[in-house]
Amino acid sequence: MASGGEGGQEGSSDIFSLGKETEQVTLADMSSEQSVYDIQNPGLQKCMEKITNLIMEEIPKAEYVSLLNDYVESEFFLIDGDSLFITCARELTLQRGQNLHFFYLVERFLLDLTSKGAKYVIVFFKDAEHIYYRNPDLLSLRTALITHLRNNTQTPIHTEFSNCLVSSWQNFLEENSPYFLIIADEGLDQLQTNFLHICIIHTLSKRINIVLTSGQESDAIRIYGYHIHSVYRLWHFFQQNEAKIKNLYQTLLSNMKKSSSEASLSLLGYPSLKTLTTKVYAKISSLQKEIEDLRYIVCIATCSLILEKYNQENQTSSVKQTKPALTLQEAGDLIRMYCLSVAFLHHLPLSQRAQIRLIKNKWNEETFMFIQQHKLCESAVLKDLATQTSWKIDFSALPDLSDNLLWKNIAFYYETEKHSGFDLDIGTKIKTDYELLWKHITTLLETFSIGGSFPLRITTKHFLEKKCLISKGEESKKAFINPGLIPITNTLVDEFTGDILTDLPFLKSDDPVIVSLKKQKEFDELRHWHSGKLLSDDYDRTKGEFDAKDPKALRNEQKLKTYQRFYGQTLEGIHSKTIVTQQDNPKKAYTDAKKSKKVHKTKAEMIIEENKKRRQAEEGKKEEHRWATLSVTIEEKIKENVTSGMKYLQEFLKNCQSASVKCTAEMAVLNICFGMWMECCDKGKISTNLSEAVEVMRIIQSVLINYDDLLKETDFQQIGKYLRALGFDNLAATLKYVKDFEDERKTLKRKVSKYAVGIGSSRFQLQYMGHYLIREDRKDPDPRVQHFIPDTWQRDLLDIVDNNESAVIVAPTSSGKTYACYYCIEKILRDSDDGVVVYVAPTKALVNQVWATVYNRFNKALPAGLTVCGVFTRDYRHDALNSQVLVTVPQCLEILLLAPHRQEWAKRIRYVIFDEVHCLGGEIGAEVWEHLLVMIRCPFLALSATISNPKHLIDWLQSVKRYWQHTEAKLAPNSPAVKKGGKGKKSVGMQKESYKVKLVEYGERYNDLEKYVCSLKDDDFAIDHYHPCAALTVDHIEKYGFPLDLSLSPRESVLLFDAMVKVRENWPGKHGLDPDEFFKDKIIITKAEARQYEKQLKNTLEMWIKHGLRNKVFLISRQLIGILISLLTVAVFH
């Protein structure tokens, strides 16, 4: 990608020569400088070979994986800046000299990472700079890239580290704990490859994984790459050879410094750029008040430096020239053309620059050397500008400082095309800017004169090699013989291509190619050409139905139905529901009971209501008798095992319809559980999780929430007594009918030490009852759902189905999103006997589960030959095309939708349900999900618990629906129904079309998830709780805050508060965030309130960091992780 340095002489031994223009960028040929690569010490040479061999052994084992987690926030990682640089410089679409395109490639790569939620920093090591001195064009481009990233982007960048072995880099890794490092395994030459290999082996030894830059790919959702895991043997190798590796690196570094010094001395006559720095600073300082444009500043300073250098060489004529060099006047000609190209950049739009010719003539040897000297000076100028503090410089033009192709075009014009009658008209504005540049350049040349700005060429020197170019006509004749496209007529192709086809050549109708394609007739191929057998598809070839005439097959059919019913009941425990097809009367939309108007009841309705109350009273007596019978059994089971006994009680309460009986049962069990707690306290056998006390508190909360209006005064007094005994006097005081008698208080005071749990009521609820905290559910039932009261977001789903709309549903696992699917299935079954709903699941195991659930849930009397539920997988199908509910996998649905002979069935589809739709971004089979979402024309429900960018998905799906809306609007006038024009009776199955795609999000899990780590302890496996905050670094919290997906359980919130208090004992705000103060006198702490408490703790930690208490937050992380650090270390290396 050498800007201006494409190609010295082929076969030249010059250390600055590059290959052909069309080849990839490589560093200069060092055939004459093999000492740079040579490692004289045999031991160090063997060590380098061992490092390379270890890496080469690990590369084939690398896993090709998604680098960023799609569903949660990405891990923090590092990018090696030089690996990014050489990867983009090697891009096949990049032609040398196109600096602007190079910067586009870099920013496109980083934007792709950022848009997918990546968190990273870029690191450029100082020592790597010495590698590029042999190719100053790359050195200048690298300097420009670093300056651009630091000044023009928000990308965090580090350049303060000399190399990967210094102590400051070790500290950086320990503080930030990156997950992996993106780095190249091969450099532009062997020296850089060795440098990268040392960095790779060091990184892997620090338990940081490696991702290779080669082979990375990206799609709309994911970024894929080859991931190398840190393993024990690499850590062990580095530990054993650390001193030798450091010695090896110092040898390589001395070789790099020697090479850079020789390159600088050969080009500019200075052993280093430090000598040049003083001159650069003086020239830039003189331009500070006069020039503001960055291009012009760099151009003036660089050109004046290079002209001074050539003036000194011409004055020292006694020095023998070892290589051909330009004269001062010839250098002046090149500089004039360069200044003109810079002026062009300032005014020419990209649309015109994109049409620039690709000149295949290469710079000759003297000119190429001049350009390398020019780029070395440019690098020094850019470095000085980047360190300017007194001068506010706009670096926005940095990616487009120069265009080597434009410079070469100007040179080619003056050498080949300029003649009388054909002059270059550059315009007034460009001419003014060019003269301004030349004026400042000549002003800085204090001791000599180089001439005026015009004429542009003084000498007759040719700067380009003479090369015969093939004309476009001759080139096209060699490539094509009678070119042309076959004309076709297709609405879709015409709409997609637009006006492009008008400029393309087409074959005529009498062309032999067209004549050979004409057919005498159209036909539908129904049979195999070789055997005459009927054509079949994958559906026909799949193992299918039972033979109705085979008694054994009929018996197997009965066994299958019995098994499906049993399997479905074990999954949900819900009995089958009989569906009756709705008649032609349209179904009224559901209206909220609160909004409905009061209507006076008729006499018949009043009689029905009285009969209903009488039946409820009779049922209540039966429930009382049933409780009297089961109470003894339940008591025995609870005393035998609290957990299993409470499950038995919950089963009774679930089937009981009488609220008074439920209240009586729970009060009775409350007495039993408190008696067990007293017994445990008396015997000193209290469990670590205080299970008996938890059950007492849990039942108290349940009774107060569900039966507050049924409780008597004695019940409240009994509950208050139990709360005081547990040590929760503050909660007992909040109950109604409870009076604080002095004698009772004295009696309980003697027992408090015996039966009290020993902690505050709020801390007890958070620490031991987190999984029992009450969710704030709605109390008003929805007639569309019988078995539970849906939340607001679930009612929105039901409304979407009622309105025949599409939706993407993003909600955690077990949150209840599947109920909307079952409601959708029920709706289709009620509407008609021919409508079909398709349930798409990603795996056969899930297909079997849904099949059994639907089979158990719904029952319907259908005409002969039809059934409620069918299944179709690649291995098996049953009632697939004669069922109203088809459960299948994506590949099989695609087969049916694309099969020409299944289109009548496809037209019956009313709804499609996509379960686990995040498979759309999967590594295998993702394209099938995309095909289905594009092909279906009916509404759909897309369910997922884990989608990172649901709004982007919604936008895409809505665009698909808009396409179908537009297409069907065009097709509607030509449909058979419209042409017939009859006013027939509208079928119930015909639904109003809707093209809306809605997003329904719900982020709260029904149950909290806690993390545990399995590790080795005392030669045995141990499972220890791992606090999520222990996995975060201070820098991560400071830069990005707490990850959105990192939630704490109530117990973990208490642990975090305790760690904060322990680290900062004099913390002023600890009283306000103490659980017993934050939830003061709350007898029932809800899940939402616990989440608010968690949020307050996180905000407090972030405020600590902002106020300079980073060390305290770091100590909290260490406090939470505790002994797990050592355990994890042992686990990783075993």
Side-chain angles (χ1 to χ4, degrees):
M1 204 315 301
S3 173
E6 51 283 274
Q9 301 293 323
E10 293 183 10
S12 172
S13 62
D14 179 17
I15 66 170
F16 300 104
S17 64
L18 290 175
K20 297 179 181 179
E21 294 182 43
T22 55
E23 294 177 354
Q24 285 186 328
V25 173
T26 56
L27 288 179
D29 179 16
M30 295 301 296
S31 57
S32 62
E33 298 287 334
Q34 286 298 321
S35 60
V36 175
Y37 299 119
D38 290 343
I39 302 174
Q40 302 299 330
N41 189 319
L44 297 181
Q45 187 176 5
K46 187 175 180 181
C47 180
M48 188 69 246
E49 292 176 357
K50 180 65 175 176
I51 291 174
T52 301
N53 292 336
L54 284 173
I55 294 174
M56 291 300 106
E57 290 173 5
E58 292 299 322
I59 289 178
K61 303 175 186 176
E63 299 177 357
Y64 190 69
V65 298
S66 173
L67 302 183
L68 307 179
N69 197 323
D70 311 314
Y71 320 127
V72 297
E73 298 189 23
S74 72
E75 299 282 355
F76 173 77
F77 61 92
L78 304 175
I79 300 176
D80 175 55
D82 286 283
S83 298
L84 174 63
F85 175 78
I86 62 178
T87 300
C88 293
R90 281 173 165 170
E91 174 65 38
L92 295 177
T93 63
L94 181 68
Q95 294 186 17
R96 292 179 180 175
Q98 293 181 320
N99 289 9
L100 184 60
H101 186 53
F102 168 79
F103 281 91
Y104 163 75
L105 294 173
V106 173
E107 291 196 3
R108 184 183 66 177
F109 176 81
L110 298 179
L111 179 62
D112 193 29
L113 290 174
T114 306
S115 63
K116 292 178 172 64
K119 297 178 176 60
Y120 60 89
V121 298
I122 303 177
V123 180
F124 287 89
F125 292 112
K126 292 180 181 179
D127 293 344
E129 183 182 70
H130 295 286
I131 299 174
Y132 302 97
Y133 273 82
R134 300 186 310 281
N135 288 92
D137 48 355
L138 296 182
L139 177 64
S140 173
L141 190 61
R142 180 181 184 268
T143 306
L145 176 62
I146 295 173
T147 309
H148 170 68
L149 292 175
R150 178 174 286 129
N151 294 279
N152 296 335
T153 70
Q154 300 296 322
T155 304
I157 179 173
H158 291 270
T159 57
E160 66 271 24
F161 307 110
S162 298
N163 54 69
C164 63
L165 300 177
V166 295
S167 58
S168 58
W169 176 246
Q170 320 293 333
N171 297 334
F172 178 81
L173 295 180
E174 291 177 4
E175 291 176 4
N176 292 274
S177 302
Y179 181 55
F180 58 81
L181 168 68
I182 296 181
I183 190 172
D185 62 315
E186 183 181 3
L188 295 177
D189 66 351
Q190 187 58 47
L191 183 61
Q192 189 174 32
T193 301
N194 292 341
F195 182 86
L196 293 172
H197 284 183
I198 291 177
C199 187
I200 290 174
I201 200 73
H202 172 268
T203 304
L204 292 172
S205 72
K206 297 301 178 182
R207 301 197 297 275
I208 300 171
N209 302 326
I210 289 294
V211 171
L212 301 178
T213 55
S214 57
Q216 285 192 24
E217 294 181 346
S218 176
D219 57 27
I221 298 177
R222 295 185 174 187
I223 298 176
Y224 304 92
Y226 289 96
H227 190 275
I228 301 176
H229 290 276
S230 171
V231 292
Y232 172 76
R233 70 190 189 100
L234 299 178
W235 172 83
H236 184 264
F237 171 79
F238 189 86
Q239 294 296 113
Q240 295 292 323
N241 300 275
E242 185 173 2
K244 191 178 293 185
I245 292 174
K246 289 184 177 180
N247 191 8
L248 169 64
Y249 180 81
Q250 291 301 322
T251 302
L252 291 176
L253 181 60
S254 63
N255 288 342
M256 288 191 293
K257 289 183 177 180
K258 179 182 177 183
S259 174
S260 63
S261 177
E262 291 175 353
S264 179
L265 184 63
S266 175
L267 287 173
L268 298 179
Y270 308 123
S272 70
L273 291 184
K274 292 182 179 179
T275 313
L276 197 62
T277 304
T278 306
K279 292 186 177 182
V280 171
Y281 180 77
K283 292 184 180 296
I284 291 177
S285 299
S286 65
L287 300 172
Q288 183 170 353
K289 296 181 180 180
E290 301 182 32
I291 304 294
E292 295 182 356
D293 188 274
L294 179 68
R295 284 196 193 96
Y296 292 176
I297 295 171
V298 175
C299 174
I300 293 168
T302 303
C303 293
S304 60
L305 284 171
I306 196 69
L307 287 174
E308 284 185 357
K309 189 263 181 190
Y310 270 81
N311 180 54
Q312 292 175 2
E313 286 185 355
N314 288 341
Q315 289 178 355
T316 57
S317 56
S318 59
V319 178
K320 184 179 179 181
Q321 297 287 342
T322 58
K323 298 175 185 176
L326 300 175
T327 64
L328 178 61
Q329 289 73 23
E330 292 168 348
D333 284 355
L334 267 177
I335 291 299
R336 289 187 186 91
M337 291 187 289
Y338 176 77
C339 291
L340 182 58
S341 71
V342 173
F344 272 125
L345 288 183
H346 193 72
H347 294 280
L348 285 182
L350 283 175
S351 58
Q352 292 186 20
R353 289 173 57 189
Q355 301 176 19
I356 192 170
R357 298 172 301 178
L358 179 60
I359 305 299
K360 294 187 177 181
N361 302 55
K362 296 186 295 183
W363 297 112
N364 58 33
E365 188 175 354
E366 308 96 287
T367 308
F368 176 73
M369 181 63 66
F370 173 86
I371 292 174
Q372 296 296 322
Q373 295 167 340
H374 180 273
K375 289 296 178 181
L376 194 59
C377 292
E378 183 180 89
S379 177
V381 171
L382 289 174
K383 276 189 176 182
D384 190 271
L385 286 173
T387 57
Q388 289 285 342
T389 56
S390 59
W391 189 3
K392 189 176 181 181
I393 303 173
D394 181 10
F395 287 95
S396 58
L398 188 58
D400 200 19
L401 277 181
S402 60
D403 189 337
N404 184 68
L405 300 181
L406 183 58
W407 189 5
K408 185 184 285 187
N409 266 269
I410 297 173
F412 183 80
Y413 164 76
Y414 276 101
E415 292 182 12
T416 309
E417 299 174 336
K418 189 177 187 308
H419 54 79
S420 59
F422 182 70
D423 202 0
L424 185 64
D425 183 11
I426 61 176
T428 306
K429 291 184 179 180
I430 297 177
K431 181 180 179 181
T432 302
D433 281 8
Y434 162 67
E435 290 177 339
L436 177 67
L437 289 174
W438 190 253
K439 173 187 173 183
H440 283 285
I441 291 172
T442 54
T443 302
L444 293 177
L445 303 176
E446 300 174 352
T447 59
F448 64 97
S449 175
I450 195 63
S453 57
F454 291 101
L456 212 64
R457 291 293 307 268
I458 298 176
T459 67
T460 58
K461 171 73 175 178
H462 280 257
F463 302 111
L464 295 171
E465 292 181 345
K466 293 183 179 180
K467 185 175 182 180
C468 181
L469 298 178
I470 301 175
S471 65
K472 291 185 177 180
E474 294 174 351
E475 197 171 358
S476 61
K477 287 180 181 178
K478 292 183 179 181
F480 298 101
I481 299 176
N482 191 23
L485 301 175
I486 299 173
I488 62 170
T489 301
N490 186 283
T491 305
L492 182 62
V493 173
D494 293 342
E495 182 180 352
F496 178 75
T497 56
D499 298 334
I500 296 176
L501 294 178
T502 58
D503 299 329
L504 298 178
F506 282 91
L507 298 177
K508 296 181 179 180
S509 59
D510 57 350
D511 191 280
V513 177
I514 302 297
V515 174
S516 66
L517 292 176
K518 289 184 177 179
K519 297 180 179 180
Q520 299 300 322
K521 63 177 182 179
E522 295 182 359
F523 64 94
D524 187 5
E525 196 169 13
L526 301 177
R527 296 179 180 272
H528 289 281
W529 64 271
H530 59 285
S531 64
K533 293 182 179 180
L534 289 172
L535 290 173
S536 61
D537 55 19
D538 288 333
Y539 175 83
D540 296 319
R541 290 188 287 272
T542 303
K543 184 179 178 182
E545 322 292 343
F546 293 103
D547 186 359
K549 297 180 180 180
D550 186 1
K552 186 176 180 181
L554 291 175
R555 179 59 180 162
N556 290 336
E557 172 83 358
Q558 293 173 352
K559 288 182 179 179
L560 174 64
K561 291 181 178 180
T562 304
Y563 171 76
Q564 289 295 98
R565 187 80 65 188
F566 172 75
Y567 184 23
Q569 288 179 355
T570 58
L571 290 172
E572 291 191 319
I574 298 176
H575 296 289
S576 182
K577 181 178 183 180
T578 301
I579 305 296
V580 179
T581 304
Q582 180 182 327
Q583 301 301 320
D584 290 343
N585 298 326
K587 183 178 180 181
K588 294 182 179 180
Y590 167 70
T591 55
D592 199 327
K594 296 180 180 180
K595 298 180 181 180
S596 61
K597 296 181 179 180
K598 293 184 178 180
V599 180
H600 293 289
K601 297 178 181 178
T602 63
K603 188 174 182 179
E605 290 175 340
M606 295 174 65
I607 293 173
I608 293 173
E609 187 174 344
E610 289 177 1
N611 290 335
K612 186 178 180 180
K613 289 181 180 179
R614 179 175 52 80
R615 284 195 298 270
Q616 287 178 349
E618 292 175 357
E619 289 293 331
K621 291 180 181 180
K622 291 180 181 179
E623 297 289 356
E624 289 177 3
H625 182 265
R626 184 163 169 259
W627 166 247
T629 306
L630 294 176
S631 59
V632 178
T633 306
I634 292 177
E635 181 178 357
E636 291 175 353
K637 287 184 176 292
I638 291 175
K639 289 183 177 180
E640 182 181 346
N641 186 288
V642 176
T643 305
S644 61
M646 294 303 294
K647 287 182 179 179
Y648 195 75
L649 172 66
Q650 293 301 322
E651 187 67 27
F652 168 78
L653 296 175
K654 183 179 179 180
N655 297 323
C656 181
Q657 302 298 323
S658 174
S660 60
V661 175
K662 289 182 180 181
C663 180
T664 302
E666 293 213 52
M667 286 300 298
V669 173
L670 175 60
N671 295 331
I672 296 171
C673 290
F674 186 76
M676 293 177 63
W677 170 250
M678 293 176 62
E679 184 179 349
C680 290
C681 293
D682 292 336
K683 294 181 179 180
K685 297 181 179 180
I686 302 176
S687 58
T688 54
N689 58 356
L690 306 179
S691 58
E692 294 81 5
V694 168
E695 291 300 335
V696 171
M697 194 66 185
R698 179 187 173 191
I699 297 173
I700 289 176
Q701 291 180 343
S702 176
V703 168
L704 293 176
I705 291 173
N706 298 316
Y707 317 113
D708 183 72
D709 55 337
L710 297 176
L711 293 175
K712 302 175 184 177
E713 182 176 349
T714 54
D715 295 330
F716 281 106
Q717 292 177 356
Q718 186 74 10
I719 292 172
K721 178 181 177 182
Y722 291 158
L723 289 174
R724 285 198 182 94
L726 292 173
F728 304 151
D729 292 24
N730 58 324
L731 300 185
T734 62
L735 296 174
K736 54 185 177 181
Y737 305 123
V738 177
K739 297 180 180 180
D740 193 7
F741 296 105
E742 185 67 25
D743 54 346
E744 186 178 353
R745 192 193 318 161
K746 291 180 180 179
T747 304
L748 290 173
K749 192 174 181 180
R750 294 193 297 270
K751 300 180 180 179
V752 71
S753 60
K754 195 170 186 180
Y755 300 129
V757 294
I759 58 177
S761 59
S762 299
R763 181 180 284 267
F764 175 78
Q765 292 184 62
L766 295 177
Q767 192 163 340
Y768 295 99
M769 297 181 63
H771 50 296
Y772 291 134
L773 294 187
I774 304 299
R775 296 171 72 241
E776 293 181 337
D777 299 328
R778 290 181 60 159
K779 303 300 181 183
D780 54 317
D782 190 315
R784 296 173 291 183
V785 179
Q786 285 76 34
H787 302 290
F788 73 105
I789 299 176
D791 294 336
T792 302
W793 70 277
Q794 291 171 325
R795 294 170 196 254
D796 293 339
L797 296 182
L798 303 183
D799 293 339
I800 287 172
V801 174
D802 285 338
N803 296 330
N804 209 40
E805 296 173 338
S806 300
V808 175
I809 305 160
V810 183
T813 305
S814 73
S815 60
K817 58 182 179 293
T818 311
Y819 280 97
C821 303
Y822 295 137
Y823 177 74
C824 177
I825 293 172
E826 181 180 342
K827 178 178 180 293
I828 300 302
L829 291 174
R830 288 188 185 279
D831 284 346
S832 67
D833 290 338
D834 61 343
V836 174
V837 56
V838 183
Y839 194 108
V840 182
T843 63
K844 289 185 290 185
L846 190 54
V847 164
N848 291 332
Q849 181 177 324
V850 174
W851 182 24
T853 303
V854 173
Y855 193 89
N856 175 65
R857 268 180 171 265
F858 304 109
N859 186 24
K860 181 181 179 181
L862 287 166
L866 297 180
T867 183
V868 172
C869 189
V871 66
F872 180 25
T873 66
R874 297 301 292 264
D875 300 328
Y876 175 76
R877 61 179 170 85
H878 184 75
D879 293 328
L881 299 182
N882 61 326
S883 61
Q884 282 200 266
V885 183
L886 174 62
V887 186
T888 183
V889 292
Q891 293 79 3
C892 292
L893 179 58
E894 186 181 35
I895 289 170
L896 294 176
L897 293 179
L898 294 178
H901 308 300
R902 313 293 176 197
Q903 294 308 302
E904 288 300 320
W905 173 85
K907 292 177 182 178
R908 295 168 50 204
I909 300 177
R910 299 289 179 264
Y911 246 107
V912 179
I913 300 168
F914 295 97
D915 200 359
E916 311 294 345
V917 76
H918 54 260
C919 295
L920 179 66
E923 299 176 19
I924 301 175
E927 70 283 355
V928 181
W929 291 82
E930 183 177 343
H931 297 167
L932 294 177
L933 287 165
V934 171
M935 284 192 295
I936 61 171
R937 300 169 69 169
C938 62
F940 63 85
L941 298 177
L943 315 180
S944 178
T946 49
I947 295 181
S948 59
N949 51 353
K951 293 183 179 178
H952 293 170
L953 179 60
I954 281 287
D955 292 340
W956 176 69
L957 291 173
Q958 188 63 70
S959 67
V960 173
K961 282 297 179 183
R962 281 195 296 267
Y963 166 78
W964 280 117
Q965 184 179 13
H966 177 70
T967 303
E968 290 177 355
K970 286 185 175 181
L971 296 176
N974 300 322
S975 64
V978 175
K979 286 183 177 181
K980 189 175 181 180
K983 295 185 179 180
K985 193 175 183 180
K986 186 177 179 180
S987 172
V988 175
M990 297 299 293
Q991 302 170 350
K992 182 182 177 181
E993 292 292 340
S994 176
Y995 298 96
K996 291 183 179 179
V997 182
K998 294 186 175 181
L999 174 62
V1000 179
E1001 288 185 283
Y1002 183 72
E1004 195 66 38
R1005 292 190 61 89
Y1006 193 85
N1007 291 316
D1008 293 305
L1009 294 179
E1010 290 190 347
K1011 290 78 179 172
Y1012 288 83
V1013 175
C1014 180
S1015 56
L1016 291 173
K1017 183 191 292 184
D1018 300 330
D1019 297 328
D1020 196 5
F1021 288 104
I1023 298 179
D1024 300 281
H1025 174 252
Y1026 190 88
H1027 199 287
C1029 291
L1032 298 178
T1033 63
V1034 179
D1035 284 342
H1036 188 285
I1037 300 174
E1038 182 178 17
K1039 293 177 182 177
Y1040 312 111
F1042 283 88
L1044 297 177
D1045 61 291
L1046 189 146
S1047 60
L1048 308 179
S1049 67
R1051 179 171 76 103
E1052 290 169 341
S1053 295
V1054 174
L1055 292 175
L1056 176 59
F1057 171 77
D1058 291 341
M1060 293 168 70
V1061 172
K1062 188 171 183 179
V1063 167
R1064 192 181 176 193
E1065 296 180 356
N1066 59 345
W1067 172 29
K1070 67 179 179 181
H1071 180 73
L1073 285 177
D1074 187 287
D1076 290 313
E1077 189 63 30
F1078 191 89
F1079 302 99
K1080 190 172 183 179
D1081 300 339
K1082 269 194 168 291
I1083 195 170
I1084 300 171
I1085 299 176
T1086 65
K1087 219 170 165 52
E1089 292 169 339
R1091 193 67 68 208
Q1092 187 63 30
Y1093 178 64
E1094 171 196 338
K1095 185 178 180 181
Q1096 290 284 349
L1097 291 175
K1098 290 179 178 178
N1099 291 341
T1100 302
L1101 277 182
E1102 292 177 355
M1103 290 302 298
W1104 283 16
I1105 295 176
K1106 289 181 180 178
H1107 290 100
L1109 299 175
R1110 291 171 52 89
N1111 186 47
K1112 297 293 184 182
V1113 178
F1114 175 77
L1115 291 176
I1116 290 173
S1117 177
R1118 299 300 93 185
Q1119 179 75 24
L1120 291 172
I1121 197 171
I1123 198 171
L1124 285 178
I1125 296 177
S1126 58
L1127 294 175
L1128 282 172
T1129 303
V1130 174
V1132 166
F1133 292 112
H1134 279 73

